[in-house]
Amino acid sequence: MANIDAPRGLRPVKHLDGSPYNGSFNRYYVPASDSTAIFVGDAVVSGGSADANGVADVAQASAGGNLRGVVIGVEPVTDESLSYRPASTAGYVYVVDAPDVIFEVQEDSVGGAIAVTAVGLNADITVGAGSTVTGTSAMELDSSDVKTGAAQLRIMGLTQIEDNAIGANANWLVLINEHELKSTTGV
């Protein structure tokens, strides 16, 4: 059976030592000056500033470069409880920023599917428009970017779930390889 093409960004699964992901996150600010919507499952980067109370800010990540973590929730901005942070709206997001968390992500299969021999190699993310209906990210693992050189994610293995097989749109376990909290320089 073919894998279902259903990108949903990155989802935390477990820690590098095998212990289950326990739901931990940190709260970050997204200023109204940020004109990009942020969705659950989006990878984010530090924005280099903070709100008036000192809560550090983040922005949606692009392919290439260090990542701060992955959004797992959005704090409601108004009485309207959206499941994503709308563009140009000040708000807060909940980010899994521990450098030892393993995430599940679907490959984009552009240029072919990722082979089993890619386990242990690196790749960047691809960024797509998330869903304003479900609040879900469209980020995927860039299957045409798998390499031994530096990249944002380390491929740890195929997700061992029913209806997931090596091939187009497979779900992979990845570790943030280029993590801001593992870098020796500041942002």
Side-chain angles (χ1 to χ4, degrees):
M1 177 178 215
N3 297 319
I4 297 171
D5 185 9
R8 59 189 175 279
L10 292 93
R11 297 184 336 175
V13 177
K14 61 183 178 178
H15 289 273
L16 191 55
D17 67 1
S19 62
Y21 169 67
N22 61 9
S24 297
F25 62 86
N26 284 304
R27 183 175 181 245
Y28 288 89
Y29 176 67
V30 184
S33 59
D34 185 332
S35 61
T36 302
I38 295 180
F39 299 87
V40 172
D42 276 354
V44 292
V45 296
S46 292
S49 189
D51 72 0
N53 296 312
V55 177
D57 68 340
V58 292
Q60 185 187 66
S62 57
N66 290 350
L67 302 174
R68 181 59 172 212
V70 174
V71 174
I72 62 163
V74 177
E75 197 168 286
V77 176
T78 63
D79 291 339
E80 179 183 8
S81 60
L82 297 174
S83 53
Y84 69 99
R85 181 261 176 194
S88 304
T89 305
Y92 295 88
V93 293
Y94 305 136
V95 177
V96 177
D97 58 3
D100 72 329
V101 174
I102 294 176
F103 297 89
E104 178 183 24
V105 63
Q106 178 180 292
E107 67 173 275
D108 68 354
S109 301
V110 173
I114 295 175
V116 70
T117 54
V119 173
L121 298 179
N122 302 320
D124 282 333
I125 57 169
T126 63
V127 180
S131 170
T132 58
V133 174
T134 64
T136 306
S137 172
M139 286 190 177
E140 295 181 278
L141 182 62
D142 188 349
S143 63
S144 62
D145 185 52
V146 176
K147 57 191 170 197
T148 57
Q152 292 169 313
L153 305 173
R154 167 83 37 95
I155 300 169
M156 304 297 289
L158 186 72
T159 304
Q160 300 298 305
I161 56 173
E162 189 174 335
D163 298 330
N164 188 49
I166 302 286
N169 307 312
N171 289 303
W172 293 91
L173 296 175
V174 297
L175 179 68
I176 296 178
N177 193 40
E178 295 178 328
H179 200 293
E180 290 178 3
L181 298 177
K182 292 193 287 187
S183 176
T184 58
T185 61
V187 284

Short mmCIF file of all heavy atoms in Angstrom, two decimals, residues 145-170:
data_model
loop_
_atom_site.label_atom_id
_atom_site.label_comp_id
_atom_site.label_asym_id
_atom_site.label_seq_id
_atom_site.Cartn_x
_atom_site.Cartn_y
_atom_site.Cartn_z
N ASP A 145 17.74 16.69 -0.79
CA ASP A 145 18.85 17.36 -0.10
C ASP A 145 19.63 16.41 0.82
O ASP A 145 20.43 16.84 1.61
CB ASP A 145 18.29 18.54 0.72
CG ASP A 145 19.37 19.37 1.37
OD1 ASP A 145 20.30 19.79 0.66
OD2 ASP A 145 19.31 19.57 2.60
N VAL A 146 19.39 15.11 0.74
CA VAL A 146 20.05 14.15 1.63
C VAL A 146 21.54 14.11 1.31
O VAL A 146 21.94 13.96 0.15
CB VAL A 146 19.41 12.75 1.49
CG1 VAL A 146 20.15 11.73 2.33
CG2 VAL A 146 17.94 12.81 1.88
N LYS A 147 22.36 14.27 2.38
CA LYS A 147 23.81 14.36 2.16
C LYS A 147 24.58 14.05 3.44
O LYS A 147 24.01 14.01 4.53
CB LYS A 147 24.16 15.77 1.69
CG LYS A 147 23.71 16.85 2.66
CD LYS A 147 23.82 18.22 2.02
CE LYS A 147 23.16 19.28 2.88
NZ LYS A 147 22.90 20.49 2.16
N THR A 148 25.89 13.88 3.30
CA THR A 148 26.76 13.68 4.46
C THR A 148 27.13 15.00 5.10
O THR A 148 27.44 15.06 6.27
CB THR A 148 28.05 12.93 4.07
OG1 THR A 148 28.71 13.67 3.04
CG2 THR A 148 27.76 11.53 3.60
N GLY A 149 27.09 16.09 4.33
CA GLY A 149 27.45 17.41 4.83
C GLY A 149 26.41 17.97 5.78
O GLY A 149 25.35 17.39 6.01
N ALA A 150 26.72 19.13 6.33
CA ALA A 150 25.86 19.79 7.31
C ALA A 150 24.47 20.08 6.73
O ALA A 150 24.33 20.48 5.59
CB ALA A 150 26.50 21.08 7.79
N ALA A 151 23.45 19.87 7.56
CA ALA A 151 22.07 20.17 7.22
C ALA A 151 21.27 20.23 8.51
O ALA A 151 21.74 19.80 9.57
CB ALA A 151 21.49 19.14 6.26
N GLN A 152 20.07 20.73 8.45
CA GLN A 152 19.26 20.97 9.64
C GLN A 152 18.87 19.71 10.42
O GLN A 152 18.80 19.74 11.64
CB GLN A 152 17.98 21.73 9.26
CG GLN A 152 18.28 23.14 8.79
CD GLN A 152 17.09 23.80 8.16
OE1 GLN A 152 16.40 23.22 7.32
NE2 GLN A 152 16.83 25.04 8.55
N LEU A 153 18.59 18.63 9.72
CA LEU A 153 18.08 17.42 10.37
C LEU A 153 18.96 16.21 10.11
O LEU A 153 19.52 16.06 9.02
CB LEU A 153 16.66 17.12 9.85
CG LEU A 153 15.64 18.25 9.99
CD1 LEU A 153 14.34 17.88 9.29
CD2 LEU A 153 15.39 18.58 11.45
N ARG A 154 19.09 15.33 11.10
CA ARG A 154 19.78 14.05 10.96
C ARG A 154 18.71 12.97 10.85
O ARG A 154 17.81 12.87 11.69
CB ARG A 154 20.67 13.79 12.16
CG ARG A 154 21.21 12.38 12.33
CD ARG A 154 22.47 12.07 11.52
NE ARG A 154 23.43 13.13 11.40
CZ ARG A 154 24.50 13.29 12.18
NH1 ARG A 154 24.73 12.48 13.17
NH2 ARG A 154 25.33 14.29 11.95
N ILE A 155 18.76 12.15 9.82
CA ILE A 155 17.79 11.07 9.61
C ILE A 155 18.17 9.90 10.51
O ILE A 155 19.24 9.32 10.37
CB ILE A 155 17.74 10.65 8.13
CG1 ILE A 155 17.35 11.86 7.26
CG2 ILE A 155 16.77 9.49 7.93
CD1 ILE A 155 17.53 11.65 5.78
N MET A 156 17.26 9.56 11.44
CA MET A 156 17.53 8.52 12.44
C MET A 156 16.97 7.16 12.04
O MET A 156 17.43 6.13 12.52
CB MET A 156 16.95 8.93 13.79
CG MET A 156 17.44 10.28 14.29
SD MET A 156 19.21 10.34 14.60
CE MET A 156 19.32 9.33 16.05
N GLY A 157 15.95 7.14 11.19
CA GLY A 157 15.34 5.88 10.77
C GLY A 157 13.92 6.11 10.29
O GLY A 157 13.35 7.19 10.45
N LEU A 158 13.35 5.07 9.73
CA LEU A 158 11.96 5.11 9.27
C LEU A 158 11.03 4.99 10.47
O LEU A 158 11.28 4.19 11.37
CB LEU A 158 11.70 3.96 8.28
CG LEU A 158 10.34 3.96 7.61
CD1 LEU A 158 10.27 5.08 6.58
CD2 LEU A 158 10.07 2.61 6.96
N THR A 159 9.97 5.77 10.51
CA THR A 159 8.99 5.65 11.59
C THR A 159 8.33 4.29 11.51
O THR A 159 7.83 3.90 10.45
CB THR A 159 7.91 6.76 11.47
OG1 THR A 159 8.55 8.02 11.45
CG2 THR A 159 6.95 6.70 12.63
N GLN A 160 8.35 3.57 12.60
CA GLN A 160 7.80 2.21 12.64
C GLN A 160 6.32 2.25 13.04
O GLN A 160 5.95 2.03 14.18
CB GLN A 160 8.61 1.35 13.61
CG GLN A 160 10.07 1.22 13.24
CD GLN A 160 10.27 0.56 11.89
OE1 GLN A 160 9.79 -0.55 11.65
NE2 GLN A 160 10.98 1.23 11.00
N ILE A 161 5.50 2.58 12.05
CA ILE A 161 4.05 2.61 12.25
C ILE A 161 3.38 1.88 11.09
O ILE A 161 3.99 1.71 10.02
CB ILE A 161 3.51 4.06 12.33
CG1 ILE A 161 3.91 4.87 11.09
CG2 ILE A 161 3.95 4.74 13.61
CD1 ILE A 161 3.29 6.25 11.01
N GLU A 162 2.15 1.49 11.29
CA GLU A 162 1.39 0.81 10.25
C GLU A 162 1.22 1.74 9.06
O GLU A 162 1.08 2.95 9.22
CB GLU A 162 0.02 0.41 10.81
CG GLU A 162 -0.78 -0.49 9.91
CD GLU A 162 -2.06 -0.96 10.55
OE1 GLU A 162 -2.13 -1.00 11.79
OE2 GLU A 162 -2.98 -1.28 9.80
N ASP A 163 1.20 1.19 7.88
CA ASP A 163 1.01 1.94 6.64
C ASP A 163 2.11 2.97 6.38
O ASP A 163 1.86 4.04 5.83
CB ASP A 163 -0.36 2.62 6.60
CG ASP A 163 -1.51 1.63 6.65
OD1 ASP A 163 -1.32 0.49 6.16
OD2 ASP A 163 -2.58 1.97 7.18
N ASN A 164 3.34 2.66 6.77
CA ASN A 164 4.49 3.51 6.46
C ASN A 164 5.61 2.63 5.96
O ASN A 164 6.02 1.70 6.65
CB ASN A 164 4.95 4.30 7.70
CG ASN A 164 6.01 5.31 7.36
OD1 ASN A 164 5.86 6.09 6.42
ND2 ASN A 164 7.09 5.33 8.12
N ALA A 165 6.06 2.90 4.75
CA ALA A 165 7.11 2.08 4.15
C ALA A 165 8.08 2.98 3.39
O ALA A 165 7.73 4.10 3.02
CB ALA A 165 6.49 1.06 3.18
N ILE A 166 9.28 2.47 3.17
CA ILE A 166 10.25 3.20 2.36
C ILE A 166 9.59 3.50 1.02
O ILE A 166 9.00 2.62 0.40
CB ILE A 166 11.53 2.35 2.12
CG1 ILE A 166 12.18 1.95 3.44
CG2 ILE A 166 12.49 3.06 1.19
CD1 ILE A 166 12.91 3.03 4.16
N GLY A 167 9.68 4.75 0.59
CA GLY A 167 9.06 5.15 -0.67
C GLY A 167 8.48 6.54 -0.56
O GLY A 167 8.65 7.23 0.46
N ALA A 168 7.81 6.97 -1.59
CA ALA A 168 7.24 8.31 -1.64
C ALA A 168 6.39 8.60 -0.41
O ALA A 168 5.60 7.76 0.02
CB ALA A 168 6.40 8.48 -2.91
N ASN A 169 6.58 9.79 0.15
CA ASN A 169 5.82 10.30 1.30
C ASN A 169 6.00 9.49 2.58
O ASN A 169 5.13 9.51 3.45
CB ASN A 169 4.33 10.40 0.95
CG ASN A 169 4.09 11.20 -0.30
OD1 ASN A 169 4.64 12.28 -0.44
ND2 ASN A 169 3.32 10.66 -1.22
N ALA A 170 7.12 8.83 2.73
CA ALA A 170 7.39 8.07 3.96
C ALA A 170 7.60 9.02 5.13
O ALA A 170 8.01 10.16 4.96
CB ALA A 170 8.63 7.19 3.77
#
